[in-house]
Amino acid sequence: QVQLVQSGAEVKKPGASVKVSCKASGYTFTGYQIHWVRQAPGQGLEWVGRIDPNSGGTDYALKFRDRVTMTRDWTLSTVYMEVSRLRSDDTAIYYCARKSYEAFEYWGQGTLVIVSS
Amino acid sequence: QSALTQPPSASGSPGQSVTISCTGTSSDVGGYKSVSWYQQHPGKAPKLMIYEVSKRPSGVPDRFSGSKSGNTASLTVSGLQAEDEADYYCISYVGSNNYVFGTGTKVTVL
């Protein structure tokens, strides 16, 4: 069965970077885009960006283009999202999700990132 | 790209219907068939309920239906049940491999 398993919670100081992983299993890794979505405490969902694991091609929401980098490792069937120059308002749960058709059919369990001095 | 507009809340009694709107522009909701809806219970990851405006994934009850008219998409939950109480979000493709979510709607079953 399709599974997306994310790395554990992180606590970082402002200005630092964080790298969250999303390990895929149960399907052909290169066949589907992985998207990242975040949710600040008590807030709504926000689309961050996406990566095509086959080509490595990426697209990011405008507000994240200078601070977010998505990569993949074929050998590990894992995608990564790194957020640099962290601010307190980056505190959120970060989800990875697999795109099927035109929707996010499978989701990871979420990774809590806390940015605090 | 601004978030799509959803009502903050909606409610209904068990057995009734509730409809949630998702309003955008001709550059997002009105311009593409790529609108999907997600249900999120507290502390849980979102769950896909409707994709490509009106298609239902296997396993989603047929009480959930989607539609679109112009720049507004809608999710209708018929025959409300207690377990339908959750937050609901729409998302639309906006071109150039980008997407935007709606502001979210909290559905309460009275």
Side-chain angles (χ1 to χ4, degrees), chain A residues 33 35 37 39 43-47 50 59-62 65 95 99-105 107-110, chain B residues 1 34-36 38 40 43-48 50-52 57 89 91 93 96-103:
Chain A
Q33 295 177 13
H35 292 241
V37 173
Q39 186 170 37
Q43 302 301 308
L45 301 175
E46 183 174 30
W47 185 79
R50 67 107 198 177
D59 289 280
Y60 307 118
L62 186 60
R65 283 180 193 172
Y95 294 100
K99 178 171 168 285
S100 308
Y101 306 103
E102 282 297 325
F104 307 141
E105 186 177 11
W107 293 69
Q109 83 276 18
Chain B
Q1 183 70 43
S34 302
V35 176
S36 51
Y38 300 82
Q40 187 181 36
K44 301 294 187 181
K47 175 186 176 185
L48 175 64
I50 295 288
Y51 68 100
E52 293 178 10
Y89 296 91
I91 185 173
Y93 182 67
S96 301
N97 290 315
N98 271 229
Y99 292 79
V100 66
F101 275 101
T103 49

